[in-house]
Amino acid sequence: CVDFEATTDQYPPESFIHEIIEFPLVLINAKTLQIEDGLQIYVRPTINPQLTPFCKQLTGIAQETVDAGVLLEEALEQVHDWLQSKHKLLSHPLEHYYRNCYKPWFKFLFVTDGPSDFLTFLRNECYAK
């Protein structure tokens, strides 16, 4: 997150490097639409380690919370373990991938409130790190 004047500029400068600071997940059963589990991981930013006042106000996340967070790599490992070890949702995707015409198979899907979360922020940060 970055500070900017909402009255003059609706978006942060293009040069600003966004970092994931929270990785919340809710597992919803597609058949019953009931919440089955949840996971919330706070991620310590490394490129811009200090949250701006705008970011803290927008997210409600305190500097101390992200300071105690994990690196993005560890957060992604925790998500993988949560999906596989706890919920058995990955079911050997590489084996399936090679046996089924290179089509990956997963028993879940990510849903987000906007495409930027995955298509821009997470993808770009993963490439950068």
Side-chain angles (χ1 to χ4, degrees), residues 67-82:
D67 288 345
V70 299
L71 296 176
L72 179 62
E73 295 85 354
E74 186 177 339
L76 293 174
E77 287 174 8
Q78 288 179 22
V79 169
H80 181 274
D81 290 345
W82 185 75

Side-chain angles (χ1 to χ4, degrees), residues 25-26 29 35 53 55 57-59 61-62 82 84 92 94 99 106 108-109 129:
L25 298 163
V26 176
N29 184 311
I35 294 174
C55 182
Q57 181 181 7
L58 177 70
T59 64
I61 299 173
W82 185 75
Q84 177 56 31
H92 311 290
L94 288 180
R99 280 192 283 134
F106 301 101
F108 66 93
L109 112 99
K129 294 182 176 178

Side-chain angles (χ1 to χ4, degrees), residues 25-29 34-39 82-83 87 89 108:
L25 298 163
V26 176
L27 181 63
I28 298 175
N29 184 311
Q34 297 298 308
I35 294 174
E36 293 193 357
D37 198 6
L39 178 68
W82 185 75
L83 290 169
H87 296 289
L89 292 174
F108 66 93

